[in-house]
Amino acid sequence: RIMNQKFRNFLKNFMHALSANVIRLMISVVMTLVLPRILGVEEYSYWQLYLFYVTYTAYSSIGWCEGTYLKYGGMEYAKLDRSRMAGQFWALAVFQLIFCTVFGTAAHFLIDNPYKSTILMLALVSSMFDILRYLLQNILQTTGRIKDFARIMTLERMLFFVLSVGALLLGFRNFYVLIFMEITGRILSMCYAMYVCREIVFAKLDSFHEITKESKEIIGIGYKLLAASFASQLIIGIVRFAIEQKWGTIVFGKVSLTLSLSNMVITCIGAVSVVLFPMLKKMKEETLEELFLTMRTVLTVPVLAVLIFYTPMRWILELWLPQYHDSLHYLAVLFPICVYETRSVALIDTYLKAYRKEKLILFNSLVTVGISALLSWITVFLMGSLDAAVISIVLLMMFKNIFSEKMLLRSSLPVKVWKDNILEVALTGIFILVNWKIGGITAMLLYTAAYIIYVLLKSKDIKREMKNLKKIARG
């Protein structure tokens, strides 16, 4: 039977988003593997510090982008009020310029380390252009223009990649050069986004009163989601900051490398959330319930299978990056993060946004941040154990995912997944244990056997959800 039109559109948009994320993933793989080898440990560690700062300076949008995303989710691009959207874009641009100037000046005078103060100022500049592009991307995504959204996202990474490779081939081995290349890529991709959305960006502006009124409403909608996202970053960020304070920038950079490797899978799977949100906003409630378990199975079972390839991946990494041999040891613990974060990013948080449950997302993140602060204090400053600090990261992400899912199901979806949670925790626990204590081909075989048992136990559920996916596809 022929797929219905809505499902065909979903697959088409998903492929656009997936292709963009795959390109980003490939660039991330190349840069993550090449930069540590070329730059050296110290230069690469400062590059990681820049990325760390960028993660948090990006939250200077104070909810502007997120509020636009939530308020206009499911609308058609052609029906947007152009003057209103233009007013929001330029109001955000003015705000970002003021914020960047004030905090950049403060960083210059308050931070003693000249490297750190300069890196922070550059991170502020980088985030300013990134946020403006992100607002336009959000408008495109939430109104279903996924193809244009994907092009802009791809262009930003491609520009950074081409410019960085050019600089490296010319003999530059300085992390400052890489930062300037990224800022250049972000400026150019922002200009392209402005061209794509030129009907909005260069439309006649609303009055100052209307711009202010709309800004307050959008920020009022988006600040909870932004705060939740900020708190979510703090979960791992607190542990990373504690590691940097206790053991220095070099150890921080090495641990950050293993986190970057884990995040590659999350980046790729994130394509689902890009197209899922505008689709969920238009769905009937009974269809939302039906789709949840199907999407949960489609996401979880393949990602757990990816863990099988950990051993050959680590062998290749150790041959390529021998100076990071000690830190790659932690990949056995941090790699399972992708299992929980992909489901959070692509499914659970997307559902909570569709149901307008931003307060639940924020509450979950804040609870987990509190636990993160406690565990960081215990593992880093009381125990002085880097191993324990790294293990705490995966425990925190497990807790966040399970707690968030429980809140979603209790508030909106009458389904039960506690048996699945037990199986998934057991399987990831086996993965960590065998690779941490045994390692090598033996560990891979033991985890493969455990995964096969997991699939056999889930076989009825998998068959049912595959049938349900076909049913949805046929309408």
Side-chain angles (χ1 to χ4, degrees):
R1 293 172 66 182
I2 300 173
M3 289 186 295
N4 71 63
Q5 186 61 40
K6 286 183 179 179
F7 194 77
R8 279 207 301 267
N9 288 338
F10 171 78
L11 286 180
K12 184 179 178 181
N13 286 334
F14 174 71
M15 291 309 298
H16 285 310
L18 180 64
S19 60
N21 277 12
V22 167
I23 292 171
R24 286 169 62 88
L25 175 65
M26 291 171 65
I27 291 172
S28 294
V29 169
V30 172
M31 299 305 283
T32 302
L33 295 179
V34 170
L35 289 182
R37 188 179 177 95
I38 293 178
L39 292 182
V41 175
E42 185 175 1
E43 291 284 330
Y44 182 74
S45 296
Y46 279 118
W47 166 248
Q48 283 293 332
L49 188 63
Y50 160 76
L51 297 179
F52 181 67
Y53 286 157
V54 163
T55 300
Y56 294 100
T57 54
Y59 289 100
S60 61
S61 67
I62 63 173
W64 227 306
C65 303
E66 292 73 16
T68 304
Y69 177 81
L70 291 172
K71 181 177 179 179
Y72 296 101
M75 285 188 64
E76 293 181 20
Y77 183 84
K79 294 182 179 179
L80 293 173
D81 186 323
R82 296 181 181 182
S83 294
R84 181 174 296 178
M85 303 308 293
Q88 294 311 298
F89 176 81
W90 291 110
L92 178 59
V94 171
F95 173 80
Q96 282 299 308
L97 183 61
I98 295 170
F99 182 91
C100 182
T101 303
V102 171
F103 277 81
T105 304
H108 177 71
F109 289 106
L110 296 177
I111 300 176
D112 293 333
N113 187 312
Y115 284 108
K116 289 185 179 180
S117 64
T118 305
I119 290 170
L120 180 55
M121 285 190 286
L122 291 171
L124 285 164
V125 174
S126 180
S127 294
M128 177 176 66
F129 294 109
D130 199 45
I131 287 167
L132 292 174
R133 189 196 75 242
Y134 185 57
L135 176 67
L136 298 177
Q137 281 186 239
N138 271 3
I139 293 170
L140 293 170
Q141 179 192 343
T142 200
T143 55
R145 288 183 59 178
I146 306 299
K147 187 175 182 179
D148 289 321
F149 165 86
R151 281 178 176 170
I152 295 168
M153 186 169 67
T154 303
L155 178 65
E156 190 269 329
R157 284 293 89 187
M158 285 296 296
L159 285 169
F160 167 65
F161 178 72
V162 171
L163 291 170
S164 298
V165 169
L168 292 171
L169 289 175
L170 289 172
F172 293 101
R173 297 292 185 270
N174 190 291
F175 68 91
Y176 280 129
V177 174
L178 288 176
I179 294 174
F180 286 126
M181 294 302 101
E182 175 158 86
I183 292 173
T184 303
R186 288 185 167 183
I187 292 172
L188 294 175
S189 61
M190 184 201 70
C191 291
Y192 177 69
M194 291 173 67
Y195 172 76
V196 171
C197 300
R198 57 192 178 278
E199 306 92 347
I200 287 174
V201 174
F202 301 109
K204 182 181 178 182
L205 299 179
D206 263 345
S207 66
F208 180 78
H209 173 73
E210 288 299 322
I211 291 173
T212 305
K213 181 181 175 183
E214 177 74 3
S215 299
K216 287 180 179 178
E217 182 183 351
I218 285 177
I219 293 169
I221 294 170
Y223 84 91
K224 291 188 288 290
L225 190 57
L226 181 80
S229 178
F230 180 71
S232 184
Q233 289 289 344
L234 281 177
I235 294 167
I236 296 179
I238 288 173
V239 183
R240 292 175 69 191
F241 179 76
I243 289 172
E244 198 271 340
Q245 291 296 303
K246 178 74 174 179
W247 290 287
T249 305
I250 303 299
V251 173
F252 168 86
K254 288 184 175 182
V255 173
S256 295
L257 172 65
T258 58
L259 282 168
S260 298
L261 294 168
S262 301
N263 286 335
M264 288 178 186
V265 178
I266 300 168
T267 299
C268 194
I269 302 296
V272 177
S273 65
V274 170
V275 295
L276 194 59
F277 176 74
M279 186 181 76
L280 292 179
K281 292 287 286 185
K282 299 177 182 179
M283 276 188 175
K284 296 178 180 179
E285 192 165 330
E286 57 269 23
T287 310
L288 288 173
E289 295 174 8
E290 192 176 25
L291 184 63
F292 180 81
L293 287 176
T294 302
M295 291 300 298
R296 193 186 191 283
T297 301
V298 168
L299 285 170
T300 305
V301 176
V303 175
L304 284 168
V306 171
L307 300 184
I308 294 172
F309 303 100
Y310 162 77
T311 298
M313 185 183 75
R314 180 175 171 179
W315 286 343
I316 294 169
L317 288 171
E318 286 183 343
L319 287 173
W320 180 252
L321 300 170
Q323 68 271 42
Y324 287 86
H325 173 81
D326 52 341
S327 63
L328 289 173
H329 172 65
Y330 296 116
L331 195 57
V333 177
L334 296 177
F335 201 40
I337 287 175
C338 64
V339 176
Y340 297 96
E341 272 298 273
T342 50
R343 194 162 64 228
S344 287
V345 170
L347 185 62
I348 298 170
D349 286 352
T350 307
Y351 259 78
L352 286 168
K353 291 172 189 174
Y355 281 118
R356 291 302 307 273
K357 302 286 186 182
E358 304 95 77
K359 288 183 179 179
L360 288 182
I361 300 175
L362 177 58
F363 176 73
N364 174 46
S365 297
L366 290 175
V367 169
T368 315
V369 164
I371 298 172
S372 174
L374 179 62
L375 287 179
S376 297
W377 178 65
I378 293 171
T379 58
V380 176
F381 298 108
L382 284 186
M383 297 173 59
S385 171
L386 184 59
D387 288 357
V390 172
I391 290 171
S392 73
I393 293 175
V394 72
L395 293 176
L396 288 164
M397 302 320 291
M398 281 184 182
F399 171 80
K400 176 178 174 288
N401 176 264
I402 295 170
F403 186 41
S404 181
E405 188 172 53
K406 185 177 179 63
M407 289 194 300
L408 169 64
L409 301 186
R410 178 177 288 180
S411 65
S412 306
L413 295 173
V415 296
K416 296 180 179 179
V417 295
W418 62 270
K419 290 182 181 177
D420 293 312
N421 284 329
I422 292 172
L423 286 173
E424 290 150 12
V425 170
L427 191 59
T428 51
I430 290 169
F431 172 85
I432 292 171
L433 184 64
V434 297
N435 282 287
W436 188 271
K437 296 297 182 182
I438 301 172
I441 194 70
T442 305
M444 186 174 73
L445 292 173
L446 287 171
Y447 176 75
T448 303
Y451 179 77
I452 292 170
I453 293 170
Y454 163 78
V455 170
L456 291 173
L457 291 172
K458 285 275 295 175
S459 58
K460 289 184 180 180
D461 293 339
I462 293 171
K463 288 178 183 178
R464 183 183 67 245
E465 301 310 333
M466 290 302 100
K467 287 181 181 178
N468 193 37
L469 188 61
K470 290 179 182 178
K471 178 184 172 184
I472 293 170
R474 292 169 180 169

